[in-house]
Amino acid sequence: MNSTSTQDWIKTRIKPEEYKKYLVNDKDFIDEEEITRKLSDNKNIDKNKLRDILAKSLEISSLSTDETAYLLNVNDSDMLEEMEEMAIKIKKKVYDNRIVTFAPLYLGNNCINSCLYCGFRVENKKTKRQVLSTDEIKKEIEVLTGKIGHKRLIVVYGEHPSTDVNYMIESIKTIYGVKVATKYGHSEIRRVNVNAAPMQIDELKKLKQAGLGTYQVFQETYHHDTYRKLHPKQTVKGNYSWRLYTMHRAFEAGIDDVGIGALFGLYDWKFEVMGLVSHALELESRFGIGPHTISFPRLETAQNTPYVKKKFQNVTDRDFKKLITVLRLAVPYTGMILTARETAALRKEAFKLGVTQTDASSKIGIGAYSSKLSSQTGDKQQFYLADTRSLDELIRELALDGYITSFCTAGYRCGRTGSNIMQLLKTGTEGKYCKLNAVLTFREWLDDFASTQTKEIGEKLIVNEINEIKEKMPAMYSEFSKMYKRITRGERDIYI
Ligand code: SAM
Ligand code: SF4
């Protein structure tokens, strides 16, 4: 596409009528004065009040922004410990000991935007631009699902006419179409989540039809002025409201499985947590469904991107663990995603506090999986990763810590999404199906892909899980056992 037609395409991106109707007196739902006031008002910390708030979280009820501000202001070490203990309890109640894994797959790094912190911004002439062809996508999937054993992806696109909605649809179809024979069975990607620019309602409908899983868009920063400084006005991304109301459009398009996020390090982290909680509450009150996932990436260095080094607001590891704890307590039903941007040591602690999903064996260079590029290829990737361990290594560590890695994608395919899943998560019912499916899919992965050492450790964990099923879910044990046997004989993708 030549530059005139790219300019024409840019002009068609934002449809004012698809977000302006949500504004009240021309204002969006992020009320900065109110957030700032709540953060400064709720400082009088009292143990009894804290315990009341924690009890509300344990009932799997979302906290108000006042209550969230209160938790953000706790500094006393005993009280922080109580908050962490409650976060651990809630995670166990809703998600038990399961961690879901996925891989990021970058399909194109052309981008029309100029986000100051991103290696893909249009001005970065040092980035090698590439968009994967159908054959190249197939090769990536053959490695991801055929060699590593991934079943779930987050597919990432820059905002550009070369990766427009038609390209997205074709790429999703291509991904679902690849099936690879494995040692004992076969493997395929069963869920394609998408992280892409804000889309229009009609486009979202088409993506849903193509089999889109969770639709993720991060607001980056909820602070208007900071947003303006980082995303130049003349760019599509420069429109804060077009981005803020993306998930409203998704619900209008019939997508009930959405992921929100903020890029931590751009502005004050407490403000961003308040922004995320306000966003979750807005979706709950308007559509009856909150975000399926919340992401909280921290800013990383990127090639030829000096802004990150010079200007970012430091979020220390201590702050980061606190923000994970507060988010777990404030939006207790939501899935929480932590990526390989973080170190192995920090990830280990975060799993305990509330994280439910993570990536491994990750490569974020375009075409990096099949061309055997190293995990860090600065000129083809958006930023650098801190944890480049393989899926096998991560699963081994998780199993040693008592976590079962779940490759389950059944819930989505059985209609357990949106308001259905919200109810199941809040009442702890989804956990029953998830436990059974986690064991079935973990068995598949151990047989097909695990190293000898990981298999040995994983099998010990499976024995414990099966004993638990027998004891706590006797009514389902017989059906489960039959399915488990079928898996050990090489049948694949069986779920309850
Ligand atoms: N281009 C689309 C967009 O901006 O929404 C989609 C994906 S973008 C490639 C994915 C996310 O990466 C962004 O939303 C941003 O939060 C994150 N990101 C960008 N630059 C980053 C950096 N330097 N460090 C960490 N995360 C970054
Ligand atoms: Fe483009 Fe997204 Fe990077 Fe911004 S964050 S430059 S929109 S790829």
Side-chain angles (χ1 to χ4, degrees):
M1 201 175 259
N2 62 36
S3 67
T4 329
S5 42
T6 300
Q7 287 312 315
D8 289 344
W9 184 81
I10 289 174
K11 285 186 204 134
T12 64
R13 291 311 303 148
I14 297 178
K15 291 193 160 180
E17 68 279 15
E18 292 191 3
Y19 74 88
K20 287 206 164 160
K21 61 185 172 191
Y22 290 115
L23 301 175
V24 179
N25 297 330
D26 244 10
K27 288 205 162 134
D28 60 65
F29 61 86
I30 298 294
D31 184 337
E32 278 174 22
E33 272 175 32
E34 196 181 87
I35 290 181
T36 314
R37 184 178 44 74
K38 286 183 178 181
L39 280 170
S40 71
D41 280 358
N42 290 289
K43 279 196 169 147
N44 211 350
I45 314 295
D46 162 271
K47 247 191 185 162
N48 290 330
K49 184 163 177 204
L50 174 70
R51 286 186 184 146
D52 287 346
I53 297 176
L54 297 184
K56 185 175 171 192
S57 299
L58 190 60
E59 291 302 309
I60 319 300
S61 288
S62 303
L63 300 184
S64 67
T65 44
D66 270 310
E67 290 160 336
T68 306
Y70 196 86
L71 296 184
L72 285 167
N73 284 327
V74 170
N75 284 319
D76 171 83
S77 56
D78 285 348
M79 291 200 223
L80 278 172
E81 211 172 294
E82 272 193 48
M83 282 164 56
E84 289 189 1
E85 277 165 16
M86 187 54 87
I88 294 168
K89 213 168 173 177
I90 288 167
K91 184 181 169 207
K92 177 112 185 96
K93 185 172 178 184
V94 182
Y95 292 95
D96 199 8
N97 61 340
R98 295 181 300 279
I99 299 283
V100 162
T101 52
F102 64 90
L105 175 62
Y106 280 66
L107 293 185
N109 59 1
N110 286 338
C111 193
I112 52 163
N113 292 311
S114 302
C115 314
L116 257 58
Y117 46 82
C118 178
F120 290 169
R121 69 194 185 286
V122 67
E123 293 84 6
N124 191 356
K125 300 296 174 224
K126 292 206 172 144
T127 290
K128 286 195 184 138
R129 306 284 169 178
Q130 191 183 351
V131 174
L132 294 187
S133 67
T134 304
D135 279 347
E136 286 166 336
I137 295 174
K138 283 184 186 160
K139 284 193 186 125
E140 294 286 275
I141 303 303
E142 278 158 16
V143 176
L144 281 163
T145 198
K147 295 215 160 70
I148 305 171
H150 278 294
K151 305 285 183 277
R152 189 188 282 250
L153 297 181
I154 178 81
V155 180
V156 188
Y157 311 84
E159 183 164 23
H160 196 267
S162 59
T163 50
D164 66 0
V165 67
N166 298 317
Y167 175 85
M168 289 182 192
I169 290 167
E170 282 315 307
S171 55
I172 292 172
K173 285 186 184 158
T174 303
I175 293 168
Y176 281 128
V178 178
K179 192 167 178 167
V180 189
T182 54
K183 218 190 285 179
Y184 297 103
H186 62 83
S187 187
E188 65 278 294
I189 297 298
R190 299 173 190 162
R191 178 159 173 94
V192 181
N193 298 331
V194 165
N195 185 316
M199 309 293 285
Q200 303 164 356
I201 295 173
D202 278 351
E203 295 172 333
L204 288 163
K205 285 183 184 163
K206 289 183 195 161
L207 285 172
K208 184 178 160 73
Q209 265 197 330
L212 164 84
T214 306
Y215 175 51
Q216 266 188 6
V217 176
F218 306 156
Q219 186 62 22
E220 319 298 12
T221 173
Y222 284 92
H223 187 253
H224 296 82
D225 205 32
T226 305
Y227 190 95
R228 265 191 291 277
K229 285 183 189 141
L230 297 174
H231 308 100
K233 195 171 170 227
Q234 74 282 8
T235 62
V236 175
K237 192 150 168 181
N239 187 323
Y240 178 102
S241 299
W242 176 243
R243 196 166 183 91
L244 188 67
Y245 288 97
T246 307
M247 297 318 173
H248 291 58
R249 295 196 292 284
F251 280 110
E252 280 194 54
I255 295 170
D256 54 10
D257 199 330
V258 302
I260 62 172
L263 183 52
F264 279 85
L266 300 178
Y267 187 63
D268 173 46
W269 65 272
K270 291 187 183 175
F271 185 96
E272 303 296 13
V273 171
M274 293 289 279
L276 285 167
V277 173
S278 307
H279 202 163
L281 292 172
E282 159 79 9
L283 296 177
E284 275 187 47
S285 76
R286 249 186 219 277
F287 305 102
I289 307 168
H292 184 64
T293 57
I294 295 186
S295 298
F296 33 91
R298 265 196 295 190
L299 200 57
E300 297 294 336
T301 50
Q303 200 210 36
N304 196 28
T305 304
Y307 174 82
V308 177
K309 277 207 181 118
K310 270 195 257 152
K311 300 247 175 84
F312 80 100
Q313 298 219 4
N314 197 20
V315 183
T316 64
D317 285 356
R318 195 163 177 269
D319 299 337
F320 195 62
K321 278 184 266 173
K322 185 167 165 189
L323 78 85
I324 294 174
T325 308
V326 174
L327 282 172
R328 176 78 290 154
L329 296 167
V331 197
Y333 57 81
T334 200
M336 288 176 60
I337 303 181
L338 184 78
T339 68
R341 289 175 179 88
E342 301 297 337
T343 60
L346 197 134
R347 270 149 58 99
K348 197 177 165 78
E349 290 188 59
F351 293 135
K352 205 169 68 180
L353 291 174
V355 166
T356 58
Q357 293 194 24
T358 198
D359 56 330
S361 286
S362 301
K363 292 186 177 183
I364 57 174
I366 314 289
Y369 294 104
S370 54
S371 53
K372 300 204 175 82
L373 290 176
S374 85
S375 309
Q376 310 283 22
T377 48
D379 56 358
K380 279 195 169 185
Q381 72 188 49
Q382 197 187 14
F383 49 82
Y384 292 102
L385 297 175
D387 184 2
T388 53
R389 280 176 303 166
S390 68
L391 183 60
D392 188 82
E393 285 171 277
L394 178 84
I395 287 180
R396 192 184 322 143
E397 180 190 274
L398 288 173
L400 284 170
D401 288 345
Y403 298 105
I404 181 164
T405 303
S406 175
F407 291 90
C408 171
T409 50
Y412 314 102
R413 291 182 284 163
C414 299
R416 295 200 291 272
T417 61
S419 56
N420 295 336
I421 199 166
M422 283 297 145
Q423 213 35 46
L424 293 169
L425 285 172
K426 286 182 178 179
T427 55
T429 319
E430 173 68 0
K432 290 207 176 89
Y433 299 108
C434 291
K435 180 150 205 92
L436 305 173
N437 289 328
V439 175
L440 295 174
T441 54
F442 191 48
R443 177 77 264 165
E444 275 189 33
W445 187 86
L446 284 181
D447 287 346
D448 283 341
F449 300 101
S451 64
T452 319
Q453 203 189 354
T454 303
K455 194 167 179 179
E456 213 172 279
I457 293 162
E459 274 175 347
K460 284 191 192 138
L461 183 70
I462 281 206
V463 171
N464 294 342
E465 297 292 311
I466 294 180
N467 285 339
E468 211 181 297
I469 293 170
K470 207 175 193 171
E471 198 183 304
K472 296 191 182 153
M473 292 175 246
M476 298 181 101
Y477 182 69
S478 154
E479 190 189 350
F480 164 78
S481 283
K482 283 183 204 144
M483 288 178 153
Y484 186 79
K485 276 200 193 104
R486 284 165 59 198
I487 298 268
T488 57
R489 285 190 219 113
E491 269 190 70
R492 293 289 173 262
D493 202 15
I494 302 171
Y495 52 87
I496 295 180

